[in-house]
Amino acid sequence: MSRMLHLNDPDLIAAGLVNVGGKWLARGAAAERGLSPALTTKAPPEPNDGYDSNLEREFARSLEAERVAGLLFHWEREPLTIRLPGGIRYKPDFLVLRSDGLTFYETKPNFTQKEARVGEVKLKLAAEWCRKWGIHLYRTTRVDGAWMHEELS
């Protein structure tokens, strides 16, 4: 179940994170000190696991590999819902916590014409919201076996 993310979110604070300039960072450690990733390992995602597409599943596997390698601290799939202007709700596909702060990823390989219009409006509003709070937002797809990230905020 998703929930709204607040700058004083008790779960993030309880996990030892503090919000500095709109970015969640580990308490008492700066990015240049190399914060330690979580010690637990998530099970790799499997088919029928709730992912909307193979692209999302593959991206989750790549994020978990990065976490295990110490390149990121934490990732979650659809962990929150953001209320955008006009009553629009946006749920990023992935939230990733790295030493430089929070990043949202949107993994949508193909849109129909109607979905593209609706999706683009929502992504534009989400990008504006992310810029306001210092959060990176990327549209992500896979091309010829490589991950391609288009920065939106």
Side-chain angles (χ1 to χ4, degrees):
M1 174 177 260
S2 64
R3 59 185 167 79
M4 296 295 294
L5 177 70
H6 298 283
L7 290 180
N8 294 317
D9 190 297
D11 292 337
L12 293 174
I13 293 168
L17 301 174
V18 292
N19 189 288
V20 179
K23 295 181 181 183
W24 287 98
L25 301 173
R27 182 182 293 123
E32 62 268 13
R33 290 192 220 158
L35 305 174
S36 301
L39 297 177
T40 59
T41 301
K42 293 182 183 182
E46 296 297 330
N48 300 322
D49 52 8
Y51 287 90
D52 295 333
S53 67
N54 284 333
L55 182 70
E56 280 189 6
R57 188 174 296 104
E58 290 171 13
F59 191 63
R61 285 187 178 128
S62 73
L63 290 175
E64 181 60 12
E66 286 184 47
R67 192 195 65 75
V68 169
L71 301 174
L72 62 88
F73 305 118
H74 180 75
W75 67 270
E76 288 186 46
R77 180 180 174 271
E78 296 184 347
L80 54 96
T81 300
I82 300 167
R83 290 182 192 220
L84 300 170
I88 296 172
R89 293 175 184 242
Y90 170 67
K91 186 183 287 191
D93 289 340
F94 292 93
L95 175 147
V96 176
L97 178 62
R98 291 189 171 91
S99 62
D100 65 345
L102 287 177
T103 303
F104 295 153
Y105 288 92
E106 202 50 49
T107 54
K108 303 290 186 209
N110 297 308
F111 287 114
T112 65
Q113 192 171 11
K114 179 182 175 186
E115 288 170 330
R117 281 196 313 270
V118 172
E120 288 301 315
V121 168
K122 193 179 276 193
L123 279 178
K124 182 179 177 184
L125 290 171
E128 290 172 8
W129 186 92
C130 287
R131 271 191 295 278
K132 176 181 173 183
W133 295 105
I135 298 172
H136 303 282
L137 173 62
Y138 291 94
R139 181 183 357 227
T140 300
T141 193
R142 197 165 186 144
V143 177
D144 297 327
W147 291 108
M148 304 300 289
H149 308 288
E150 176 189 3
E151 188 169 6
L152 302 174
S153 67

